[in-house]
Structures are given as structure tokens and as C-alpha cells.
Amino acid sequence: MKRLFALILVITLWFGVSLSAAPAAYAEFSFNALTPCATSEAFQARLEAEIDGYNTRLENFAAGSAPAAYLQGKIAQTEARFAKYAQAGLLCGDDGLPHLISDGRWDRAGEFTIPALMFLYIAGWIGWVGRAYLIAIHKDVKTATEKEILIDLPLAVKCMLTGFAWPLAAIKEFTSGELVVPESEVTVSPR
């Protein structure tokens, strides 16, 4: 019954259904301080300053040498990076740096949502793989402590390769009851 209630609560919160009819509130934010990076003078000055720094260093090397080729590649990478910022429609401040807006507006959702979801997926993968490794090594109680210190690499790689589907595995284990332990197995402080 507790799991059913928890599942209903999570689904309700997930879809944003609330018992009150209060409208969503947004913090007041002024876009007046920000300008599109494509038209920002500070953004263009920052680009020119970076390229000038590379050109200054480039003068110290002979044309066609390995350091010169490296610096020319860095100049091309810098120009491409700044062009992507300008084409993406990012907004720049007085400092010439792009500012990400993460206030819940759908027209700016791509600036924050995709990287945030990627972070959560990767962090979950790392945690799930670590958990799977610890569960696997504790099946053999005699060597469990040793394998926590000296990692069993073939087992760790196996856990890593199967960990990419961790969201599905977590749902499966939650529904089957493997993910949580009974309350009788949870240690409680005597205080």
C-alpha cells in the first residue's frame, strides 16, 4: 500500500498536477541586460581578443611548423565555437559571455534541459554501476573486502557495459521489490 501511494504521489508530482489551482509563478527577469550574442559588441571583442592572443603566439613560430599548425587549429576552433554561440541564439551579458536562462520558459528550455538530463543519466549510470559491482562482489563474502580495495576489472567492465540501461533496470527492480529492502533489515540507531 505504501508503494502504491508513493507511486501515485510521484506520478502526480511528475505531471505537475496539484491540488491547488494556483498558477505557476516565475521570478521576474529582465532580458534588457542581455543582448543576442550575434549583435553583442562585448562578444565580438572577446572573440577578437582570443584570436589576437593566438595570432601573437603564432608569430613566434615558422609557418608550417607543428606549433603553428596547432595554433591555426585553435584559431579555427575558437571561431567555430563563437559562431555556434551566435547561431544558437544565446544571449550575452555586458561581459561578452553567453548566459543560460533556466527559468522554465519553453523557448529557452534547450539551453539547460538537455545538459541537465545528460548529467542525471550519466550520474545515475555511475551510481548504478557502483551498486551493481558492490552487489556482485558481496556474493563471495571471503573476498568482498579485498575486491572493494583492489577492483576486479573484468567484473567492473561487465557492470559498466550493462549499466547503460540503468533506468529500465531500476524500474524493473522497483516493481519486483529488489530495489528496496524490508524494514526489518534496515539498521536503526539506538538513540
Side-chain angles (χ1 to χ4, degrees):
M1 187 65 184
K2 289 181 182 179
R3 287 187 187 161
L4 178 63
F5 177 71
L7 183 63
I8 290 171
L9 180 64
V10 167
I11 290 171
T12 303
L13 292 175
W14 183 271
F15 288 109
V17 177
S18 66
L19 298 176
S20 67
Y26 295 101
E28 190 57 39
F29 178 77
S30 173
F31 285 109
N32 296 338
L34 301 176
T35 59
C37 290
T39 61
S40 172
E41 292 178 14
F43 180 75
Q44 296 301 325
R46 187 172 285 276
L47 169 64
E48 290 171 10
E50 269 195 59
I51 291 178
D52 287 344
Y54 287 128
N55 283 329
T56 302
R57 290 175 52 198
L58 187 61
E59 293 172 357
N60 297 331
F61 301 103
S65 67
Y70 171 77
L71 289 171
Q72 288 170 343
K74 292 298 281 183
I75 291 170
Q77 286 177 347
T78 302
E79 289 173 342
R81 186 178 77 239
F82 276 75
K84 284 182 184 178
Y85 289 156
Q87 290 172 353
L90 296 179
L91 300 174
C92 286
D94 294 337
D95 53 3
L97 296 173
H99 292 255
L100 301 179
I101 311 300
S102 59
D103 64 350
R105 296 179 187 175
W106 286 107
D107 61 332
R108 296 283 169 190
E111 295 176 13
F112 179 76
T113 306
I114 294 170
L117 291 176
M118 287 174 49
F119 169 78
L120 290 175
Y121 177 78
I122 292 169
W125 187 344
I126 293 168
W128 191 264
V129 166
R131 176 183 174 273
Y133 178 78
L134 289 174
I135 289 171
I137 64 170
H138 281 283
K139 289 180 181 173
D140 183 14
V141 180
K142 295 178 184 176
T143 62
T145 305
E146 179 182 328
K147 287 185 178 181
E148 281 187 27
I149 298 168
L150 301 172
I151 295 176
D152 181 3
L153 196 59
L155 178 61
V157 169
K158 178 184 169 193
C159 291
M160 284 175 43
L161 294 176
T162 59
F164 72 94
W166 74 266
L168 299 174
I171 291 170
K172 176 190 164 275
E173 285 193 15
F174 181 73
T175 57
S176 69
E178 296 176 55
L179 189 62
V180 293
V181 296
E183 287 188 32
S184 61
E185 292 183 26
V186 177
T187 58
V188 179
S189 174
R191 292 185 206 173

